[in-house]
Amino acid sequence: MSKASVILYITVGILVLFLVSYSPKKNTDHHHHHGGHNQHHRLKLRSSFNFKPTRHDPIPFDPLVADMERRREDKEWERQYIDHSNPELASHEAAPGHESQPEWEDFMDAEDYLNDEEKFNVTDRLISLFPKLDVSPMDGFVTESELTEWNMQSSAKEVMHRTQRDMDVHDRNKDGFISFSEYEPPSWVRNAGNDSFGYNMGWWKEEHFNASDANGDGLLNLTEFNDFLHPADTKNPELLLWLCKEEVRERDSDKDGKIGFEEFYHGLFDTVRNYEEDNHNTTHPYHDLPEGPAKQLFSQLDKDGDGYLSDGELLPIISKIHPTEHYYAKQQADYIISQADSDKDGRLTLAEMIEHPYVFYSAIFNEDDTDDDYGLHDEFR
């Protein structure tokens, strides 16, 4: 970091703190709306947790908040899983490595900490986080790609934490690997019976396990197990092909092992179109017929021109059918910028962020808002 940039950040920080501290008393309401917590803007933590691998929760913007939610979720996880299915694990100590507990641990309720402005001030938090976002390039602006990358890093940490937690439960012989026999379908699949979506998708089949086993040693290490639980985000070509095979199996109504145009048009195409990321080079001439765009995409995918899509031919669109973490991270970044970018130049300054603190805080983890804010879909429909 250059000396000039450091001075710039410090100057801006001091200036902002000065303005916040010395705003006239008659503007108290206005000030509270932007920098304080009034009753309309009580910061909330998520209180309901769904442990299915198919869910997708918006990631808290602030790592401190993410940490609070992670601990809350871990407690709920222990209550639901360890106490009920593995009583012998319930007595074990929590994982080591948390020796330097943050101050909020002393609070009965972490939300009280978040809403105590002396202890958790959103303006101060934004000032301290801004330089961590503004990195490529470090120019005093946070762009969509910088915010997406920040969300991706936060999301990767959350996902890996959950995978490790799952691994601890399933790795019965404690060798640091998961064998197929150690991995039983979770209770929510078993209870739903064999007709459930999980079974139909081959979610717990050996083929899925073997495709996830990138090094072919018959066991899943942490990275492979993470891919097993989140196949859409894998870099493993075998697993992506397995995902395509499952898609064909699910959509193939006449059971001929491939997808015809009707099967594509009345199912897959809408899914792909809904998840379409901004693609600025789509200048294809769309036909007048309603199925024109679908026919065009179908013929592009149908590489051998036989009028059907095989599992391999679905590879180019599999990330649209099962959106990746990058898709969600970008969607969240776009939403934040659309709400906080006052001058509409497509990027955020520190001042714009401080002016819209609740876009970064309550809107992100107030569970009442999440569906409206992001329009997030379940990863598997």
Side-chain angles (χ1 to χ4, degrees):
M1 196 186 266
S2 73
K3 208 173 266 188
S5 304
V6 173
I7 291 167
L8 173 71
Y9 277 130
I10 291 171
T11 311
V12 171
I14 290 169
L15 183 64
V16 166
L17 286 173
F18 180 83
L19 290 171
V20 168
S21 311
Y22 293 96
S23 59
K25 289 291 172 275
K26 66 181 180 205
N27 282 347
T28 305
D29 292 343
H30 177 75
H31 164 56
H32 268 288
H33 178 68
H34 288 310
H37 308 301
N38 59 27
Q39 66 274 28
H40 301 298
H41 278 299
R42 179 171 169 83
L43 301 190
K44 295 176 76 171
L45 290 165
R46 221 158 26 96
S47 55
S48 60
F49 300 103
N50 166 8
F51 295 112
K52 297 183 183 184
T54 56
R55 80 221 173 100
H56 203 283
D57 301 314
I59 300 299
F61 168 79
D62 188 327
L64 190 60
V65 176
D67 189 47
M68 290 179 183
E69 289 203 348
R70 194 180 307 122
R71 286 169 195 238
R72 267 193 169 193
E73 189 180 291
D74 282 349
K75 285 199 178 91
E76 180 62 20
W77 165 270
E78 281 175 29
R79 199 178 67 72
Q80 279 192 30
Y81 279 69
I82 298 186
D83 296 356
H84 294 168
S85 48
N86 297 293
E88 74 278 5
L89 291 179
S91 59
H92 285 200
E93 290 300 306
H98 293 311
E99 62 282 345
S100 57
Q101 300 289 20
E103 183 189 0
W104 59 261
E105 283 271 299
D106 300 333
F107 271 67
M108 285 295 286
D109 184 350
E111 272 184 18
D112 290 343
Y113 174 86
L114 283 181
N115 289 283
D116 182 328
E117 207 170 334
E118 297 296 310
K119 296 191 164 59
F120 187 88
N121 180 292
V122 289
T123 302
D124 293 347
R125 289 299 297 160
L126 290 169
I127 290 168
S128 69
L129 290 172
F130 189 86
K132 296 178 183 176
L133 279 89
D134 177 24
V135 287
S136 56
M138 198 181 71
D139 56 1
F141 296 97
V142 168
T143 59
E144 184 207 51
S145 63
E146 284 171 332
L147 195 47
T148 299
E149 180 56 32
W150 173 261
N151 292 340
M152 283 281 292
Q153 288 169 11
S154 309
S155 166
K157 190 174 175 184
E158 294 296 312
V159 167
M160 197 51 89
H161 175 79
R162 289 171 190 154
T163 296
Q164 182 67 63
R165 195 175 58 194
D166 269 335
M167 194 159 192
D168 293 343
V169 168
H170 291 290
D171 178 18
R172 296 201 187 95
N173 65 1
K174 301 298 169 216
D175 63 352
F177 297 94
I178 301 285
S179 64
F180 186 66
S181 62
E182 281 176 321
Y183 199 86
E184 289 178 6
S187 56
W188 60 265
V189 172
R190 287 203 303 273
N191 296 345
N194 277 5
D195 298 332
S196 79
F197 190 59
Y199 269 114
N200 288 345
M201 270 295 280
W203 197 238
W204 312 111
K205 288 177 188 160
E206 201 155 3
E207 194 185 333
H208 174 197
F209 184 93
N210 292 338
S212 309
D213 179 16
N215 63 9
D217 65 355
L219 298 167
L220 302 186
N221 60 30
L222 185 63
T223 306
E224 291 168 338
F225 187 50
N226 191 56
D227 281 355
F228 173 83
L229 295 175
H230 308 280
D233 285 289
T234 187
K235 302 282 184 285
N236 170 357
E238 287 296 307
L239 191 51
L240 287 172
L241 192 59
W242 170 82
L243 209 48
C244 294
K245 279 182 184 158
E246 287 304 312
E247 205 54 52
V248 169
R249 212 173 289 176
E250 190 208 336
R251 308 275 180 181
D252 175 21
S253 45
D254 59 9
K255 302 299 171 214
D256 62 354
K258 47 200 175 177
I259 294 181
F261 178 72
E262 287 303 308
E263 291 164 329
F264 175 76
Y265 184 50
H266 295 296
L268 273 181
F269 181 63
D270 281 339
T271 311
V272 172
R273 193 167 47 184
N274 289 347
Y275 283 125
E276 196 67 71
E277 287 192 74
D278 299 331
N279 203 347
H280 299 300
N281 59 357
T282 48
T283 49
H284 305 301
Y286 273 12
H287 313 274
D288 295 335
L289 297 169
E291 67 269 25
K295 282 210 158 121
Q296 188 173 335
L297 180 57
F298 188 88
S299 63
Q300 283 170 350
L301 295 169
D302 181 17
K303 291 280 183 271
D304 61 8
D306 67 349
Y308 293 95
L309 299 183
S310 63
D311 41 32
E313 288 172 333
L314 285 183
L315 272 172
I317 56 166
I318 197 67
S319 68
K320 300 287 193 295
I321 302 167
H322 299 292
T324 59
E325 285 298 329
H326 182 269
Y327 169 84
Y328 291 112
K330 180 177 178 295
Q331 196 181 38
Q332 208 165 321
D334 287 342
Y335 169 76
I336 285 175
I337 289 176
S338 75
Q339 297 298 303
D341 178 21
S342 303
D343 63 5
K344 301 297 171 212
D345 64 351
R347 53 193 187 168
L348 300 179
T349 60
L350 178 57
E352 285 174 326
M353 286 170 68
I354 289 167
E355 201 184 325
H356 304 91
Y358 298 105
V359 175
F360 299 90
Y361 285 91
S362 54
I364 286 183
F365 52 88
N366 182 339
E367 58 197 290
D368 303 333
D369 298 340
T370 47
D371 288 345
D372 299 336
D373 287 350
Y374 298 117
L376 295 178
H377 308 279
D378 280 346
E379 193 167 335
F380 295 91
R381 291 147 49 112

